[in-house]
Amino acid sequence: MYGSSTLSTLFGALGSAPTDLESARAYGRALAKAGLPVLLVNPDTKVPADWRSTKERKDDQAADLRGGVHLATSDTRTLDKYLRRAYAGTAKKGHPAPLAEGTPTNWAVRLRGSGYVVADADTPAEVESLRLFLEQDGLERLSPTVVTPGTLDGAHSGGGHWWFRLPEDLAEGFTTALSLPSTTKVKAPGDDGPGFSLYMGDAYVLVPPSVRDGKSYQLVAPDVDAPPHLRLILSNVLDAAEY
C-alpha cells in the first residue's frame, strides 16, 4: 500500500479497473463507506454516467435536482442500483446501453463533501508552478498522489493530481458553502509560469483505477494535509462564499 491514509489505501487497492458487477460494487461501496461522494463515469471518458430511470430524471427535475456531478453519492444503495443497471446485460427503457462484457468502469469523486481539494498540473510547466508554490512550505519535492494519463495529442503530459486533506473547519466550509468556484488558478509570488489549477467544491476528479485512452490513473504517493499557504488561499475562497 502507498501510505496509511484511508484514501491512499482505497486508491491503491485495485491493480485494474473493475469489469464486472461484483468487483465494481465492492470498490464503489468501499469509496462510499469512506464518505467519498462517488460518481460513475462513462468508460474511457471523463463524462458522468447517468443511470437514472426516466421517472427518476423527471422526479429530480421537478425537485430542481440536476444530473452530472450532482449524481455523485455516498449512499451505497443508490450506488448499487446504478451499478446493477450498468451491468444489466440488456438495455432498458430510459437507461443508457449497458456496459459491454469486460468493459472497465471509470470512477470519480466529487470534492464537495469529500474533505479534500486537488491540485491539478497537466504539463511540466504547470508542475513547476506547483513546485514553486509548495516550496513556500518546504514541500517542493512532494510527489503527485495520482499520475494521470494525459491526452493522446501530447498537449497534456507529465502531470498528476495532488490530493490535500482539509482541516475540519475548512472541510465543513467547503461542504456547506452555496457559492463556491469549482476551480481556481494558483501561482506563487514571482512565478511567471502558467500556474496550476486547484479543484474544489462541485468539481469532480477521476480516480484510480479509471482508464482513458488505454492508460490508467495510478496511485504513486499518499495524500497529505493541506499546507499553510494553501489553507490561506482556501480560507480566502470561503470568506468570499455565500452560505
Side-chain angles (χ1 to χ4, degrees):
M1 297 299 177
Y2 299 82
S4 59
S5 77
T6 298
L7 183 134
S8 59
T9 298
L10 289 169
F11 286 0
L14 298 179
S16 59
T19 58
D20 63 89
L21 175 58
E22 290 310 311
S23 57
R25 283 181 66 186
Y27 185 57
R29 279 174 169 264
L31 295 175
K33 287 181 177 180
L36 298 173
V38 182
L39 182 67
L40 298 178
V41 178
N42 287 317
D44 206 40
T45 75
K46 295 182 178 180
V47 180
D50 189 348
W51 289 100
R52 293 175 298 174
S53 66
T54 300
K55 181 179 184 304
E56 287 166 346
R57 291 192 189 97
K58 289 181 178 178
D59 290 345
D60 285 350
Q61 186 175 18
D64 198 28
L65 298 175
R66 294 164 286 176
V69 67
H70 302 285
L71 295 173
T73 181
S74 55
D75 182 81
T76 57
R77 289 179 297 179
T78 300
L79 194 56
D80 280 355
K81 176 177 66 177
Y82 291 159
L83 285 168
R84 286 196 302 271
R85 292 171 180 173
Y87 286 95
T90 56
K92 293 187 178 181
K93 185 178 180 180
H95 295 173
L99 300 179
E101 183 177 351
T103 301
T105 49
N106 273 4
W107 305 80
V109 168
R110 185 190 67 208
L111 295 174
R112 181 188 293 273
S114 72
Y116 285 87
V117 295
V118 171
D120 174 64
D122 286 325
T123 67
E126 291 179 3
V127 172
E128 175 62 11
S129 283
L130 177 58
R131 188 194 69 77
L132 291 172
F133 180 83
L134 294 174
E135 187 177 48
Q136 299 174 105
D137 292 305
L139 296 175
E140 63 272 16
R141 296 183 182 276
L142 185 67
S143 296
T145 312
V146 174
V147 292
T148 55
T151 56
L152 283 176
D153 62 7
H156 290 174
S157 63
H161 293 156
W162 285 251
W163 284 72
F164 292 103
R165 289 188 299 269
L166 298 177
E168 187 174 344
D169 59 334
L170 287 179
E172 181 178 356
F174 275 88
T175 297
T176 58
L178 298 178
S179 61
L180 281 171
S182 58
T183 184
T184 186
K185 206 72 171 178
V186 178
K187 288 185 181 185
D191 177 16
D192 59 0
F196 63 93
S197 297
L198 187 63
Y199 292 146
M200 63 190 81
D202 287 328
Y204 65 92
V205 180
L206 266 67
V207 301
S210 299
V211 176
R212 285 193 304 107
D213 299 328
K215 299 178 181 178
S216 62
Y217 289 73
Q218 296 181 345
L219 178 77
V220 294
D223 50 295
V224 300
D225 291 334
H229 282 84
L230 181 57
R231 295 200 302 268
L232 178 60
I233 287 175
L234 295 173
S235 294
N236 290 338
V237 170
L238 282 184
D239 287 343
E242 296 178 5
Y243 293 84

